[in-house]
Amino acid sequence: MAKDEIIGVVTDPGSSLTPEAARRKGVLLLDPTKPLEPQYRRLLEHFDRLLSLHASPELCPMHDAAAEAAEGLADRVRVVDTRLGSAGLGAAALRAAEWIAHGADEKETLREVERLAREGRFFLLTHDLSQLVENRMLPPLVGRFGQALGHWALIGLEKGRFQAPRPVRDAKLLPTIAGLLKRRYGPVRLRVRATFGDLPEEVRGRLKEALARELHLEAGTLAPMDPVARMRVGNHALAVFAYPV
């Protein structure tokens, strides 16, 4: 692998990056409604190699579809299971593009993506566990228990798999998120990316305030959750990913 190779960072809409935001940051988006191999081939007309970053197969089937499409291009396309999803996948793609832009090679960039997955923290909060159960991301018994709670369910993501949900009352939702991250990271500088479904604007504003007040933020982004992600985790969901800089 030559040091001066031109490397493109690719991801899919499950990252909740809009085409405009992705283009602005140097990230390439695949269109999952169209065959993937021709898309890779078109991109390879402009890049020597591609890093194709996706959510864990347990969370979304896009990784496996990308790996199959890239089989004939294995020497130029590297399909990566980031072990993240939604807000975390978007953060990883943006960070990878940032590193490439600053002259990092493929190995250095992949090490940074792995660091994000290892040192970052991902939380999903949802009012409705039925989609997670239907998509086999939570066992049915856990889903039924969560529904009976009548509160928000807070679910951590570890090594690409959702953990057992814990109940959170509406009034404690934002302090709980900020408190978990504050206890984990303390004064360390963080970047936070959050994606949301049907979350009222007033609640989004209070989330920003809570994170800015409790954490040492270098940067924070709040963006709408991609429709595909919403289909998999439910409309009433909030995903938060934080990582140390």
Side-chain angles (χ1 to χ4, degrees):
M1 179 170 52
K3 180 69 176 178
D4 58 352
E5 281 186 328
I6 302 175
I7 303 172
V9 175
V10 183
T11 190
D12 61 73
S15 62
S16 293
L17 292 173
T18 65
E20 294 76 19
R23 190 181 309 111
R24 195 164 57 245
K25 297 295 185 177
V27 176
L28 307 161
L29 282 182
L30 295 172
D31 183 348
T33 68
K34 298 178 180 178
L36 298 181
E37 184 179 350
Q39 294 182 63
Y40 282 137
R41 291 190 181 277
R42 283 195 295 271
L43 292 173
L44 288 171
E45 294 174 5
H46 307 283
F47 296 91
D48 296 310
R49 293 182 59 78
L50 298 173
L51 285 180
S52 195
L53 308 182
H54 304 280
S56 290
E58 291 85 355
L59 304 181
C60 182
M62 190 69 183
H63 171 277
D64 290 347
E68 182 178 350
E71 281 182 355
L73 306 165
D75 59 331
R76 298 184 64 191
V77 180
R78 184 158 186 169
V79 177
V80 180
D81 171 6
T82 63
R83 294 178 292 155
L84 298 168
S86 185
L89 176 58
L94 293 172
R95 187 64 164 169
E98 179 183 357
W99 272 56
I100 294 292
H102 284 86
D105 63 20
E106 181 178 308
K107 288 184 178 180
E108 292 166 336
T109 302
L110 285 174
R111 281 198 295 269
E112 178 64 4
V113 170
E114 291 167 359
R115 184 188 72 84
L116 261 64
R118 183 175 64 252
E119 299 182 8
R121 288 295 179 270
F122 181 101
F123 299 107
L124 177 71
L125 294 107
T126 179
H127 257 311
D128 182 4
L129 296 174
S130 61
Q131 290 297 103
L132 289 165
V133 172
E134 184 177 330
N135 288 300
R136 300 182 180 180
M137 290 186 277
L138 285 178
L141 183 60
V142 171
R144 286 195 293 273
F145 174 73
Q147 291 299 103
L149 296 174
H151 300 304
W152 283 86
L154 185 151
I155 311 169
L157 183 71
E158 296 289 342
K159 298 181 179 180
R161 294 180 180 273
F162 282 124
Q163 305 303 296
R166 55 176 280 193
V168 180
R169 291 189 177 90
D170 284 14
K172 296 292 186 180
L173 178 65
L174 305 185
T176 296
I177 299 171
L180 286 169
L181 293 176
K182 184 177 183 179
R183 285 194 294 275
R184 172 65 178 83
Y185 295 109
V188 175
R189 286 188 308 141
L190 299 176
R191 291 185 182 180
V192 177
R193 181 171 177 82
T195 59
F196 59 88
D198 292 335
L199 196 67
E201 185 175 350
E202 184 266 338
V203 177
R204 301 199 300 266
R206 287 195 287 116
L207 173 63
K208 291 179 182 178
E209 292 171 2
L211 295 178
R213 183 175 60 249
E214 298 294 338
L215 306 176
H216 188 179
L217 286 183
E218 179 189 89
T221 306
L222 187 61
M225 189 176 288
D226 176 74
V228 175
R230 290 174 65 157
M231 287 176 59
R232 295 189 66 77
V233 302
N235 284 322
H236 304 290
L238 169 67
V240 179
F241 179 73
Y243 69 92
V245 180

